[in-house]
Amino acid sequence: MNARRPALDIAIAGGGMVGAACALALARRGFAVALLEAREPRPWQGNEPEDLRVIALAPSSARLLDDLGVWRSIEAVRVSPYRRMCVWDAASGAELGFDAAHEGRAQLGWIVENNLIACTLWNALEGAGVRRVCPARVTTFAQRDDRITLDLDNGEVLSASLLVIADGAGSALREQAGIGVRGRDYAQRAVVAHVATELAHGATAWQRFTHEGPIALLPLSDGRSSIVWSLPETRAREVLALDDAAFCDAAGVASDFRLGRVISTTPRASFPLHLQIAERFSAGRCVLIGDAAHAVHPLAGQGANLGLRDVAELAAVLGDARDAGRDFAASHVLERYARRRRAASTLDARTFDAIERMFAWQAPGWAMLRGAGMRAVDVLGPLKRLLSAHAEGVA
């Protein structure tokens, strides 16, 4: 007869970066955790080609990864600190600059590949006592007074006190939990690639707002830059269909040749853009984190950072409740997490959406007003520091 598996405290559905970070954070707080993932992250063997999806990792996120014991391993592979950020408006020519040195810091953040973070977290789970169930997907679940029962597509049935839903923006489990979403489709796609340019990136994150959408050049550790180019659907398909030389020319024009000509590129990929906020972040013994809770425009590079802030908040709330001898999955405990993170995430998402709308409107008079506003912010030290602190995750 098989030995009876230990009872689960928490099951996490979705083993991407945010789900894996959550599993590790909760295991470090002493919870019995299972992580359920339909597809294991591609193994990282030390000589991997670059992942085209990168993150502008905020200091708050790096601190969380350090607390989880994985940041040094990530740094040892390849990360690219960026010390400056330059944002400019194609219509007005106005610029807004941030410099870590002016704030007494070594860097504003780090550009890191998604898969590097996800794989490093995944590899740390077993040593932390997390049960990895892969491949497996939750097909249905049933909530009881004190437990939640999960039916998996591999035929297994699990029981836990809490289900953390981290299965992405199109979450089927969020729908099963009866949680709706609000938002809008940008009718855009983000085209991503890694490119080499004539001029060095100078450890600077560059972003230009054009009439078609923003284009960002993010510094990579090998001297190249990661392009994240937001374009209307039709235009994105045209750009993806270009040969390498034509794509390099188009990217150079779109970035105003700020780093000179774009001289080579990797193959491109793209993903759709939309704004989405869950109407609630908890329901019964279920909570939402990451893209299942909120999806935002990539113009500020904050999507993954918002998810990692969910992780830090959830681990703190659940851990404090259990340390105090309370039911960590009680509705009033989960509502504490849900209230805090939904308020913060909604503010961030609406702010990014307002920025996107502000630059999308190209009326000449508005462009002049927008430029004047950017120039004013650039010379107002306290306001710039507030914006920088917010991006860092401390405001």
Side-chain angles (χ1 to χ4, degrees):
M1 185 173 63
N2 291 335
R4 183 180 177 84
R5 291 190 181 277
L8 281 176
D9 292 321
I10 300 168
I12 301 172
M17 180 198 318
V18 173
C22 188
L24 193 55
L26 292 171
R28 299 275 194 239
R29 292 297 297 254
F31 292 97
V33 180
L35 181 61
L36 318 176
E37 170 56 26
R39 184 178 63 253
E40 187 170 347
R42 187 179 72 239
W44 195 278
Q45 299 175 343
N47 58 350
E48 298 294 311
E50 297 87 347
D51 184 359
L52 295 183
R53 295 287 295 268
V54 301
I55 301 161
L57 201 70
S60 61
S61 297
R63 286 193 294 272
L64 172 64
L65 296 174
D66 194 36
D67 290 343
L68 297 180
V70 298
W71 178 237
R72 290 187 180 181
S73 297
I74 293 168
E75 277 192 303
V77 177
R78 55 178 177 241
V79 304
S80 181
Y82 62 98
R83 302 178 181 87
R84 290 169 294 277
M85 180 183 298
C86 180
V87 179
W88 75 106
D89 179 15
S92 67
E95 294 192 8
L96 181 59
F98 299 89
D99 193 321
H102 295 162
E103 302 173 30
R105 294 193 276 134
Q107 61 277 312
L108 296 174
W110 298 262
I111 305 301
V112 193
E113 295 151 65
N114 289 33
N115 198 52
L116 171 56
I117 300 176
C119 285
T120 306
L121 287 164
W122 186 267
N123 291 338
L125 295 175
E126 187 175 5
V130 176
R131 182 186 168 199
R132 299 182 298 183
V133 186
C134 179
R137 189 190 306 273
V138 179
T139 55
T140 60
F141 62 85
Q143 301 204 47
R144 307 189 186 337
D145 289 342
D146 62 341
R147 306 291 286 173
I148 186 165
T149 302
L150 313 173
D151 295 312
L152 309 186
D153 60 358
N154 63 5
E156 190 171 357
V157 178
L158 296 180
S159 177
S161 295
L162 174 67
L163 172 62
V164 178
I165 297 174
D167 57 346
S171 172
L173 296 180
R174 180 188 60 224
E175 184 176 349
Q176 286 188 44
I179 301 175
V181 295
R182 297 178 181 176
R184 72 180 180 107
D185 187 345
Y186 288 110
Q188 294 179 334
R189 297 189 72 85
V191 175
V192 294
H194 292 176
V195 300
T197 56
E198 278 188 308
L199 304 179
H201 55 56
T204 301
W206 307 90
Q207 183 160 263
R208 185 186 191 218
F209 285 89
T210 77
H211 70 282
E212 291 184 318
I215 181 170
L217 293 169
L218 308 176
L220 297 174
S221 59
D222 62 2
R224 294 181 301 163
S225 296
S226 169
I227 276 187
V228 184
W229 190 359
S230 300
L231 291 164
E233 292 273 3
T234 300
R235 177 62 175 147
R237 288 194 292 271
E238 293 173 354
V239 166
L240 287 167
L242 296 173
D243 62 31
D244 286 357
F247 175 79
C248 289
D249 289 344
V253 171
S255 61
D256 200 27
F257 298 102
R258 186 58 63 104
L259 296 182
R261 291 186 305 112
V262 177
I263 56 181
S264 68
T265 181
T266 63
R268 279 85 68 192
S270 72
F271 53 92
L273 303 182
H274 54 272
L275 168 68
Q276 182 174 281
I277 300 290
E279 294 176 345
R280 295 175 289 157
F281 280 20
S282 68
R285 288 181 174 267
C286 301
V287 293
L288 307 182
I289 63 172
D291 286 355
H294 43 68
V296 300
H297 198 286
L299 64 86
Q302 291 296 303
N305 293 310
L306 296 184
L308 293 174
R309 289 171 200 165
D310 294 343
V311 169
E313 183 72 29
L314 184 62
V317 168
L318 299 186
D320 289 350
R322 197 170 79 160
D323 291 347
R326 301 193 300 272
D327 177 5
F328 63 85
S331 59
H332 68 276
V333 175
L334 302 184
E335 182 57 30
R336 185 175 302 122
Y337 157 79
R339 183 174 58 252
R340 292 174 182 174
R341 286 306 303 151
R342 190 176 190 282
S345 300
T346 300
L347 176 60
D348 286 331
R350 295 301 181 188
T351 299
F352 304 151
D353 185 57
I355 292 171
E356 193 279 335
R357 291 177 186 270
M358 179 178 72
F359 282 97
W361 196 13
Q362 294 295 317
W366 174 247
M368 292 177 59
L369 182 61
R370 183 175 64 220
M374 289 182 66
R375 294 183 181 96
V377 170
D378 197 46
V379 299
L380 291 174
L383 183 53
K384 282 181 67 175
R385 284 192 292 273
L386 178 63
L387 292 173
S388 182
H390 184 76
E392 184 183 352
V394 297

Short mmCIF file of all heavy atoms in Angstrom, two decimals, residues 54-56 79-88 95-102 106-111 195 197 199-208 215-228 255 258-259:
data_model
loop_
_atom_site.label_atom_id
_atom_site.label_comp_id
_atom_site.label_asym_id
_atom_site.label_seq_id
_atom_site.Cartn_x
_atom_site.Cartn_y
_atom_site.Cartn_z
N VAL A 54 11.93 39.54 -21.95
CA VAL A 54 12.76 40.00 -20.84
C VAL A 54 11.93 40.85 -19.89
O VAL A 54 10.85 41.33 -20.23
CB VAL A 54 13.99 40.81 -21.33
CG1 VAL A 54 14.86 39.97 -22.27
CG2 VAL A 54 13.56 42.11 -22.01
N ILE A 55 12.48 41.06 -18.70
CA ILE A 55 11.82 41.82 -17.65
C ILE A 55 12.73 42.95 -17.21
O ILE A 55 13.93 42.75 -17.05
CB ILE A 55 11.54 40.92 -16.43
CG1 ILE A 55 10.66 39.75 -16.82
CG2 ILE A 55 10.91 41.70 -15.29
CD1 ILE A 55 10.74 38.63 -15.81
N ALA A 56 12.14 44.12 -17.02
CA ALA A 56 12.85 45.21 -16.36
C ALA A 56 12.63 45.03 -14.85
O ALA A 56 11.67 45.56 -14.28
CB ALA A 56 12.34 46.57 -16.84
N VAL A 79 22.69 38.93 -16.21
CA VAL A 79 21.72 40.01 -16.04
C VAL A 79 22.40 41.29 -16.52
O VAL A 79 23.61 41.35 -16.62
CB VAL A 79 21.25 40.17 -14.57
CG1 VAL A 79 20.67 38.88 -14.03
CG2 VAL A 79 22.38 40.66 -13.68
N SER A 80 21.61 42.28 -16.82
CA SER A 80 22.16 43.55 -17.27
C SER A 80 21.59 44.68 -16.44
O SER A 80 20.42 45.06 -16.61
CB SER A 80 21.82 43.78 -18.75
OG SER A 80 22.38 45.01 -19.21
N PRO A 81 22.37 45.23 -15.51
CA PRO A 81 21.87 46.38 -14.76
C PRO A 81 21.72 47.59 -15.67
O PRO A 81 22.52 47.79 -16.60
CB PRO A 81 22.96 46.62 -13.71
CG PRO A 81 24.18 45.98 -14.26
CD PRO A 81 23.73 44.85 -15.12
N TYR A 82 20.67 48.37 -15.45
CA TYR A 82 20.58 49.63 -16.18
C TYR A 82 20.60 50.77 -15.17
O TYR A 82 19.96 50.73 -14.13
CB TYR A 82 19.36 49.69 -17.11
CG TYR A 82 18.01 49.60 -16.47
CD1 TYR A 82 17.27 50.75 -16.20
CD2 TYR A 82 17.44 48.37 -16.17
CE1 TYR A 82 16.01 50.67 -15.64
CE2 TYR A 82 16.19 48.27 -15.60
CZ TYR A 82 15.47 49.43 -15.33
OH TYR A 82 14.23 49.36 -14.77
N ARG A 83 21.40 51.76 -15.49
CA ARG A 83 21.67 52.86 -14.57
C ARG A 83 20.90 54.13 -14.92
O ARG A 83 20.74 55.01 -14.10
CB ARG A 83 23.17 53.14 -14.51
CG ARG A 83 23.98 51.92 -14.08
CD ARG A 83 25.47 52.19 -14.08
NE ARG A 83 26.19 50.97 -13.68
CZ ARG A 83 26.57 50.01 -14.51
NH1 ARG A 83 26.31 50.13 -15.82
NH2 ARG A 83 27.20 48.95 -14.08
N ARG A 84 20.48 54.19 -16.16
CA ARG A 84 19.75 55.37 -16.61
C ARG A 84 18.53 54.94 -17.44
O ARG A 84 18.51 53.83 -17.99
CB ARG A 84 20.65 56.27 -17.46
CG ARG A 84 21.75 56.97 -16.67
CD ARG A 84 22.77 57.63 -17.57
NE ARG A 84 23.52 56.62 -18.32
CZ ARG A 84 24.56 55.95 -17.85
NH1 ARG A 84 24.98 56.18 -16.60
NH2 ARG A 84 25.19 55.05 -18.58
N MET A 85 17.56 55.84 -17.52
CA MET A 85 16.39 55.63 -18.37
C MET A 85 16.11 56.93 -19.10
O MET A 85 16.13 58.00 -18.48
CB MET A 85 15.19 55.20 -17.55
CG MET A 85 13.93 54.95 -18.37
SD MET A 85 12.49 54.53 -17.33
CE MET A 85 13.10 53.00 -16.60
N CYS A 86 15.86 56.83 -20.39
CA CYS A 86 15.53 58.00 -21.19
C CYS A 86 14.24 57.72 -21.94
O CYS A 86 14.14 56.74 -22.68
CB CYS A 86 16.65 58.32 -22.18
SG CYS A 86 16.32 59.77 -23.20
N VAL A 87 13.24 58.58 -21.73
CA VAL A 87 11.94 58.47 -22.38
C VAL A 87 11.74 59.74 -23.20
O VAL A 87 11.92 60.85 -22.68
CB VAL A 87 10.81 58.33 -21.33
CG1 VAL A 87 9.45 58.25 -22.02
CG2 VAL A 87 11.05 57.11 -20.45
N TRP A 88 11.37 59.60 -24.46
CA TRP A 88 11.13 60.80 -25.25
C TRP A 88 9.96 60.63 -26.18
O TRP A 88 9.55 59.53 -26.51
CB TRP A 88 12.40 61.26 -25.97
CG TRP A 88 12.88 60.50 -27.17
CD1 TRP A 88 12.80 60.88 -28.46
CD2 TRP A 88 13.58 59.23 -27.18
NE1 TRP A 88 13.38 59.95 -29.28
CE2 TRP A 88 13.88 58.94 -28.52
CE3 TRP A 88 13.97 58.34 -26.18
CZ2 TRP A 88 14.55 57.79 -28.90
CZ3 TRP A 88 14.63 57.18 -26.55
CH2 TRP A 88 14.92 56.92 -27.89
N GLU A 95 11.94 65.17 -23.60
CA GLU A 95 12.59 64.03 -23.00
C GLU A 95 12.45 64.05 -21.49
O GLU A 95 12.34 65.11 -20.87
CB GLU A 95 14.08 63.98 -23.36
CG GLU A 95 14.37 63.74 -24.82
CD GLU A 95 15.84 63.41 -25.08
OE1 GLU A 95 16.59 63.22 -24.08
OE2 GLU A 95 16.23 63.35 -26.25
N LEU A 96 12.46 62.86 -20.92
CA LEU A 96 12.42 62.70 -19.47
C LEU A 96 13.49 61.68 -19.12
O LEU A 96 13.50 60.57 -19.66
CB LEU A 96 11.04 62.19 -19.05
CG LEU A 96 10.75 61.97 -17.57
CD1 LEU A 96 10.93 63.27 -16.79
CD2 LEU A 96 9.33 61.43 -17.38
N GLY A 97 14.42 62.06 -18.25
CA GLY A 97 15.54 61.19 -17.93
C GLY A 97 15.62 60.84 -16.46
O GLY A 97 15.27 61.66 -15.59
N PHE A 98 16.06 59.63 -16.15
CA PHE A 98 16.29 59.17 -14.78
C PHE A 98 17.71 58.63 -14.70
O PHE A 98 18.16 57.94 -15.61
CB PHE A 98 15.29 58.08 -14.40
CG PHE A 98 13.85 58.52 -14.44
CD1 PHE A 98 13.12 58.38 -15.61
CD2 PHE A 98 13.24 59.06 -13.32
CE1 PHE A 98 11.79 58.78 -15.67
CE2 PHE A 98 11.91 59.46 -13.37
CZ PHE A 98 11.19 59.32 -14.54
N ASP A 99 18.38 58.92 -13.59
CA ASP A 99 19.76 58.47 -13.41
C ASP A 99 19.91 57.96 -11.99
O ASP A 99 19.64 58.67 -11.02
CB ASP A 99 20.73 59.64 -13.66
CG ASP A 99 22.17 59.18 -13.79
OD1 ASP A 99 22.57 58.27 -13.04
OD2 ASP A 99 22.90 59.74 -14.62
N ALA A 100 20.36 56.70 -11.86
CA ALA A 100 20.52 56.11 -10.53
C ALA A 100 21.50 56.90 -9.67
O ALA A 100 21.32 57.01 -8.45
CB ALA A 100 20.99 54.66 -10.67
N ALA A 101 22.52 57.47 -10.29
CA ALA A 101 23.53 58.21 -9.53
C ALA A 101 22.93 59.40 -8.81
O ALA A 101 23.37 59.77 -7.71
CB ALA A 101 24.66 58.66 -10.46
N HIS A 102 21.92 60.02 -9.41
CA HIS A 102 21.28 61.18 -8.78
C HIS A 102 20.49 60.79 -7.54
O HIS A 102 20.14 61.65 -6.73
CB HIS A 102 20.35 61.88 -9.77
CG HIS A 102 21.07 62.47 -10.94
ND1 HIS A 102 20.44 62.83 -12.11
CD2 HIS A 102 22.40 62.77 -11.12
CE1 HIS A 102 21.33 63.32 -12.97
NE2 HIS A 102 22.51 63.29 -12.39
N ALA A 106 23.22 52.34 -7.23
CA ALA A 106 24.10 51.81 -8.26
C ALA A 106 23.37 51.58 -9.58
O ALA A 106 23.97 51.67 -10.65
CB ALA A 106 24.74 50.50 -7.79
N GLN A 107 22.08 51.26 -9.51
CA GLN A 107 21.30 51.00 -10.72
C GLN A 107 19.82 51.26 -10.47
O GLN A 107 19.36 51.27 -9.32
CB GLN A 107 21.48 49.57 -11.23
CG GLN A 107 21.05 48.49 -10.27
CD GLN A 107 22.10 48.16 -9.24
OE1 GLN A 107 23.27 47.97 -9.61
NE2 GLN A 107 21.72 48.10 -7.99
N LEU A 108 19.09 51.47 -11.55
CA LEU A 108 17.63 51.61 -11.45
C LEU A 108 16.94 50.26 -11.43
O LEU A 108 15.86 50.11 -10.87
CB LEU A 108 17.10 52.42 -12.64
CG LEU A 108 17.56 53.88 -12.75
CD1 LEU A 108 17.07 54.48 -14.06
CD2 LEU A 108 17.07 54.70 -11.57
N GLY A 109 17.56 49.25 -12.04
CA GLY A 109 16.99 47.92 -12.09
C GLY A 109 17.86 47.03 -12.95
O GLY A 109 19.01 47.38 -13.25
N TRP A 110 17.32 45.88 -13.35
CA TRP A 110 18.07 44.90 -14.13
C TRP A 110 17.18 44.38 -15.25
O TRP A 110 15.99 44.15 -15.05
CB TRP A 110 18.50 43.72 -13.26
CG TRP A 110 19.42 44.07 -12.14
CD1 TRP A 110 20.79 43.96 -12.12
CD2 TRP A 110 19.05 44.58 -10.86
NE1 TRP A 110 21.28 44.37 -10.91
CE2 TRP A 110 20.24 44.75 -10.12
CE3 TRP A 110 17.83 44.91 -10.26
CZ2 TRP A 110 20.25 45.24 -8.81
CZ3 TRP A 110 17.82 45.40 -8.97
CH2 TRP A 110 19.03 45.56 -8.25
N ILE A 111 17.77 44.16 -16.42
CA ILE A 111 17.08 43.47 -17.50
C ILE A 111 17.45 42.00 -17.41
O ILE A 111 18.63 41.64 -17.47
CB ILE A 111 17.47 44.04 -18.88
CG1 ILE A 111 17.24 45.56 -18.92
CG2 ILE A 111 16.67 43.35 -19.98
CD1 ILE A 111 15.81 45.99 -18.65
N VAL A 195 18.67 42.91 -30.67
CA VAL A 195 19.33 43.57 -31.79
C VAL A 195 20.69 44.11 -31.39
O VAL A 195 20.93 44.42 -30.23
CB VAL A 195 18.47 44.73 -32.36
CG1 VAL A 195 17.12 44.23 -32.84
CG2 VAL A 195 18.30 45.84 -31.33
N THR A 197 23.36 47.23 -32.27
CA THR A 197 23.29 48.60 -32.78
C THR A 197 24.69 49.18 -32.95
O THR A 197 25.66 48.70 -32.35
CB THR A 197 22.48 49.49 -31.83
OG1 THR A 197 23.06 49.42 -30.51
CG2 THR A 197 21.03 49.04 -31.76
N LEU A 199 25.82 52.04 -31.86
CA LEU A 199 26.28 52.69 -30.64
C LEU A 199 25.98 51.83 -29.42
O LEU A 199 25.00 51.08 -29.40
CB LEU A 199 25.61 54.05 -30.48
CG LEU A 199 25.78 55.03 -31.66
CD1 LEU A 199 25.05 56.33 -31.37
CD2 LEU A 199 27.26 55.29 -31.94
N ALA A 200 26.82 51.94 -28.41
CA ALA A 200 26.62 51.19 -27.18
C ALA A 200 25.37 51.68 -26.46
O ALA A 200 25.04 52.88 -26.50
CB ALA A 200 27.84 51.33 -26.28
N HIS A 201 24.69 50.76 -25.77
CA HIS A 201 23.46 51.16 -25.07
C HIS A 201 23.73 51.96 -23.81
O HIS A 201 22.84 52.63 -23.27
CB HIS A 201 22.58 49.95 -24.76
CG HIS A 201 23.25 48.85 -23.98
ND1 HIS A 201 23.86 49.04 -22.75
CD2 HIS A 201 23.38 47.51 -24.27
CE1 HIS A 201 24.33 47.88 -22.32
NE2 HIS A 201 24.07 46.95 -23.20
N GLY A 202 24.97 51.95 -23.31
CA GLY A 202 25.32 52.79 -22.17
C GLY A 202 24.57 52.44 -20.89
O GLY A 202 24.32 53.33 -20.07
N ALA A 203 24.22 51.16 -20.71
CA ALA A 203 23.49 50.73 -19.52
C ALA A 203 22.25 51.60 -19.30
O ALA A 203 21.87 51.92 -18.18
CB ALA A 203 24.38 50.75 -18.28
N THR A 204 21.61 51.95 -20.41
CA THR A 204 20.44 52.84 -20.39
C THR A 204 19.25 52.13 -21.03
O THR A 204 19.38 51.46 -22.06
CB THR A 204 20.74 54.14 -21.16
OG1 THR A 204 21.86 54.80 -20.56
CG2 THR A 204 19.53 55.08 -21.14
N ALA A 205 18.09 52.28 -20.41
CA ALA A 205 16.83 51.81 -21.00
C ALA A 205 16.24 52.98 -21.79
O ALA A 205 15.94 54.03 -21.22
CB ALA A 205 15.88 51.35 -19.91
N TRP A 206 16.07 52.79 -23.08
CA TRP A 206 15.57 53.84 -23.97
C TRP A 206 14.14 53.53 -24.37
O TRP A 206 13.80 52.40 -24.71
CB TRP A 206 16.43 53.91 -25.24
CG TRP A 206 17.90 54.04 -24.99
CD1 TRP A 206 18.81 53.04 -24.84
CD2 TRP A 206 18.64 55.27 -24.88
NE1 TRP A 206 20.07 53.56 -24.64
CE2 TRP A 206 20.01 54.92 -24.66
CE3 TRP A 206 18.30 56.61 -24.95
CZ2 TRP A 206 21.01 55.87 -24.52
CZ3 TRP A 206 19.29 57.57 -24.80
CH2 TRP A 206 20.63 57.20 -24.58
N GLN A 207 13.29 54.54 -24.37
CA GLN A 207 11.91 54.33 -24.80
C GLN A 207 11.40 55.57 -25.53
O GLN A 207 11.43 56.67 -24.98
CB GLN A 207 10.99 54.01 -23.63
CG GLN A 207 9.56 53.70 -24.08
CD GLN A 207 8.78 52.93 -23.03
OE1 GLN A 207 8.66 51.72 -23.08
NE2 GLN A 207 8.26 53.64 -22.06
N ARG A 208 10.94 55.36 -26.75
CA ARG A 208 10.40 56.45 -27.56
C ARG A 208 8.93 56.20 -27.84
O ARG A 208 8.53 55.09 -28.22
CB ARG A 208 11.16 56.56 -28.89
CG ARG A 208 10.74 57.76 -29.75
CD ARG A 208 11.42 57.71 -31.10
NE ARG A 208 11.24 58.95 -31.84
CZ ARG A 208 11.05 59.02 -33.16
NH1 ARG A 208 11.01 57.91 -33.89
NH2 ARG A 208 10.90 60.19 -33.75
N ILE A 215 8.34 52.24 -28.51
CA ILE A 215 9.39 51.28 -28.80
C ILE A 215 10.46 51.43 -27.72
O ILE A 215 10.90 52.55 -27.43
CB ILE A 215 9.99 51.45 -30.20
CG1 ILE A 215 11.07 50.39 -30.46
CG2 ILE A 215 10.51 52.86 -30.44
CD1 ILE A 215 11.55 50.34 -31.91
N ALA A 216 10.84 50.32 -27.11
CA ALA A 216 11.85 50.34 -26.05
C ALA A 216 13.07 49.56 -26.51
O ALA A 216 12.97 48.53 -27.19
CB ALA A 216 11.30 49.72 -24.77
N LEU A 217 14.24 50.09 -26.15
CA LEU A 217 15.52 49.40 -26.35
C LEU A 217 16.10 49.18 -24.96
O LEU A 217 16.51 50.14 -24.29
CB LEU A 217 16.46 50.24 -27.22
CG LEU A 217 16.04 50.43 -28.68
CD1 LEU A 217 16.92 51.49 -29.34
CD2 LEU A 217 16.17 49.12 -29.44
N LEU A 218 16.14 47.94 -24.52
CA LEU A 218 16.55 47.61 -23.16
C LEU A 218 17.92 46.95 -23.20
O LEU A 218 18.16 46.03 -24.00
CB LEU A 218 15.53 46.67 -22.53
CG LEU A 218 14.08 47.14 -22.59
CD1 LEU A 218 13.14 46.08 -22.02
CD2 LEU A 218 13.92 48.46 -21.83
N PRO A 219 18.85 47.38 -22.36
CA PRO A 219 20.24 46.91 -22.45
C PRO A 219 20.41 45.45 -22.03
O PRO A 219 19.91 45.03 -20.99
CB PRO A 219 20.99 47.85 -21.49
CG PRO A 219 19.96 48.27 -20.49
CD PRO A 219 18.67 48.35 -21.26
N LEU A 220 21.13 44.68 -22.84
CA LEU A 220 21.47 43.30 -22.53
C LEU A 220 22.94 43.20 -22.14
O LEU A 220 23.76 44.06 -22.48
CB LEU A 220 21.17 42.40 -23.73
CG LEU A 220 19.70 42.33 -24.14
CD1 LEU A 220 19.56 41.52 -25.44
CD2 LEU A 220 18.84 41.72 -23.04
N SER A 221 23.29 42.11 -21.45
CA SER A 221 24.63 41.99 -20.88
C SER A 221 25.72 41.83 -21.93
O SER A 221 26.89 42.13 -21.66
CB SER A 221 24.67 40.79 -19.92
OG SER A 221 24.32 39.59 -20.59
N ASP A 222 25.37 41.37 -23.14
CA ASP A 222 26.38 41.17 -24.18
C ASP A 222 26.55 42.39 -25.08
O ASP A 222 27.23 42.32 -26.10
CB ASP A 222 26.05 39.94 -25.02
CG ASP A 222 24.72 40.07 -25.77
OD1 ASP A 222 24.08 41.13 -25.68
OD2 ASP A 222 24.33 39.09 -26.45
N GLY A 223 25.93 43.51 -24.71
CA GLY A 223 26.06 44.74 -25.48
C GLY A 223 24.93 44.99 -26.46
O GLY A 223 24.79 46.10 -26.97
N ARG A 224 24.13 43.97 -26.73
CA ARG A 224 22.97 44.16 -27.59
C ARG A 224 21.83 44.77 -26.78
O ARG A 224 21.96 45.04 -25.59
CB ARG A 224 22.54 42.84 -28.22
CG ARG A 224 23.56 42.26 -29.19
CD ARG A 224 23.07 40.96 -29.80
NE ARG A 224 22.80 39.96 -28.79
CZ ARG A 224 22.08 38.86 -28.99
NH1 ARG A 224 21.54 38.62 -30.18
NH2 ARG A 224 21.89 37.99 -28.02
N SER A 225 20.71 44.98 -27.45
CA SER A 225 19.52 45.52 -26.79
C SER A 225 18.32 44.65 -27.12
O SER A 225 18.22 44.06 -28.20
CB SER A 225 19.23 46.95 -27.26
OG SER A 225 20.27 47.84 -26.89
N SER A 226 17.41 44.58 -26.16
CA SER A 226 16.13 43.90 -26.38
C SER A 226 15.12 44.94 -26.84
O SER A 226 14.92 45.96 -26.18
CB SER A 226 15.64 43.25 -25.09
OG SER A 226 14.31 42.80 -25.22
N ILE A 227 14.51 44.69 -27.99
CA ILE A 227 13.47 45.58 -28.50
C ILE A 227 12.11 45.08 -28.02
O ILE A 227 11.81 43.89 -28.12
CB ILE A 227 13.50 45.65 -30.04
CG1 ILE A 227 14.52 46.68 -30.52
CG2 ILE A 227 12.13 46.01 -30.60
CD1 ILE A 227 14.48 46.93 -32.00
N VAL A 228 11.31 45.99 -27.50
CA VAL A 228 9.90 45.73 -27.22
C VAL A 228 9.14 46.84 -27.94
O VAL A 228 9.14 47.99 -27.51
CB VAL A 228 9.58 45.73 -25.72
CG1 VAL A 228 8.12 45.36 -25.49
CG2 VAL A 228 10.51 44.78 -24.96
N SER A 255 13.18 54.09 -33.57
CA SER A 255 13.92 54.51 -32.37
C SER A 255 14.70 55.79 -32.60
O SER A 255 15.50 56.19 -31.75
CB SER A 255 14.87 53.40 -31.92
OG SER A 255 15.82 53.10 -32.93
N ARG A 258 18.60 56.50 -32.10
CA ARG A 258 19.22 56.95 -30.86
C ARG A 258 20.49 56.14 -30.54
O ARG A 258 21.43 56.67 -29.95
CB ARG A 258 18.23 56.84 -29.71
CG ARG A 258 18.70 57.40 -28.37
CD ARG A 258 19.10 58.86 -28.44
NE ARG A 258 18.02 59.74 -28.78
CZ ARG A 258 17.37 60.52 -27.90
NH1 ARG A 258 17.71 60.48 -26.63
NH2 ARG A 258 16.42 61.32 -28.32
N LEU A 259 20.51 54.87 -30.98
CA LEU A 259 21.72 54.05 -30.82
C LEU A 259 22.37 53.77 -32.18
O LEU A 259 23.03 52.76 -32.37
CB LEU A 259 21.37 52.72 -30.13
CG LEU A 259 20.85 52.85 -28.69
CD1 LEU A 259 20.58 51.48 -28.08
CD2 LEU A 259 21.85 53.62 -27.82
#
